[in-house]
Amino acid sequence: DNYGQIYRANLIIDAVDNGILQGASAAQINMFKGEALFFRALAYFQLAMSYSYLPGNEVDGWNKGVPIILTPTKKLEDVEFPERSTNVEVYNLIKADLTSAIAILTNTDRPSKAYVSKAVAQALLSRVSLYTLDLDATISNANAVLTTASVNTKATSTATTGADLVTMWRTYKDKSESIWQISKNSADN
C-alpha cells in the first residue's frame, strides 16, 4: 500500500519538522526523518513505475504521473484529492526526497542492515537516476555506495554446496552481499 506508506512518512516528517517528537536524541530524530523521506521516495518510485511513463518516454504526449501528497491527513477536513502530477514532477520529488535523506542519514548509526542508511538512499537514487537517464548521478551515487566502508566490511560469504547456499540465506544476519535487507528477527520487527 504505497499511499499508506506515504501517509505514514508524511506524519513522521511533519512531526519532526514541527518539533512534536519528544524523548528522542537529535541523531534519532534525524534518522526518523531520513528514513521517512527514503520510504516516501520509494513509495512514489513504485507508484511512478506502475502508473506513469518515464520522463522522455511518454506515449502520445501522456505525461501524467501520480497525485503528490506531501502533508499528513490528521482529520477529515485535511483530506485532499489532488490531480495527477506530471511524471517529471513525481521524479523530481523522488530525487529531492532521496537527496534530503542522504544529507541527513549516516552509515554508522543503524543497529543492523534492516534499517535504512545513507548508502541505501544513495543506491535508490542511483537507480532512479538511471531510469531518468541522469547517468552522471547514477555513476556518482553507485560509486558512493560501493566505497562505503560499512557496506564492505565483511568478506563475501561463499557457499560450496547448494545446501550451504540455502542455509546462508535462511540464517538471518547482516549479509555482506546486501546493503539493506528485510529483518526476520524479533529485535528489529
Side-chain angles (χ1 to χ4, degrees):
D1 178 21
N2 288 307
Y3 275 106
Q5 184 171 312
I6 290 165
Y7 166 75
R8 289 184 295 278
N10 285 339
L11 283 173
I12 293 167
I13 293 165
D14 181 67
V16 170
D17 290 347
N18 291 306
I20 296 170
L21 292 179
Q22 300 283 327
S25 69
Q28 289 172 318
I29 290 172
N30 281 338
M31 185 178 75
F32 297 153
K33 183 172 182 179
E35 288 177 344
L37 288 163
F38 170 84
F39 282 113
R40 184 169 73 183
L42 177 62
Y44 273 116
F45 184 53
Q46 291 171 333
L47 285 167
M49 293 302 301
S50 296
Y51 299 107
S52 70
Y53 291 108
L54 291 168
N57 292 312
E58 297 86 354
V59 174
D60 295 329
W62 180 258
N63 69 345
K64 295 296 182 188
V66 296
I68 292 177
I69 300 171
L70 300 177
T71 56
T73 304
K74 297 179 185 175
K75 55 188 181 232
L76 189 57
E77 296 80 33
D78 294 339
V79 174
E80 55 182 308
F81 299 97
E83 296 290 323
R84 290 177 76 160
S85 301
T86 68
N87 54 356
V88 171
E89 291 169 331
V90 174
Y91 277 93
N92 285 343
L93 171 66
I94 294 165
K95 289 180 178 183
D97 276 358
L98 290 171
T99 300
S100 296
I102 290 165
I104 297 170
L105 292 169
T106 70
N107 288 315
T108 57
D109 289 341
R110 63 184 182 157
S112 75
K113 289 185 178 183
Y115 293 83
V116 173
S117 68
K118 180 177 185 171
V120 174
Q122 288 169 317
L124 183 56
L125 183 54
S126 179
R127 176 171 287 195
V128 171
S129 299
L130 177 64
Y131 282 36
T132 58
L133 300 177
D134 184 352
L135 301 183
D136 290 335
T138 300
I139 293 167
S140 172
N141 283 291
N143 283 335
V145 172
L146 293 172
T147 58
T148 299
S150 64
V151 172
N152 299 306
T153 55
K154 302 177 194 168
T156 301
S157 303
T158 56
T160 55
T161 68
D164 289 344
L165 182 64
V166 169
T167 300
M168 179 178 77
W169 284 101
R170 282 190 177 161
T171 305
Y172 173 79
K173 61 180 181 178
D174 280 352
K175 309 241 184 308
S176 60
E177 294 84 1
S178 68
I179 59 168
W180 184 45
Q181 60 196 40
I182 304 297
S183 174
K184 297 189 306 184
N185 67 35
S186 59
D188 291 329
N189 288 324

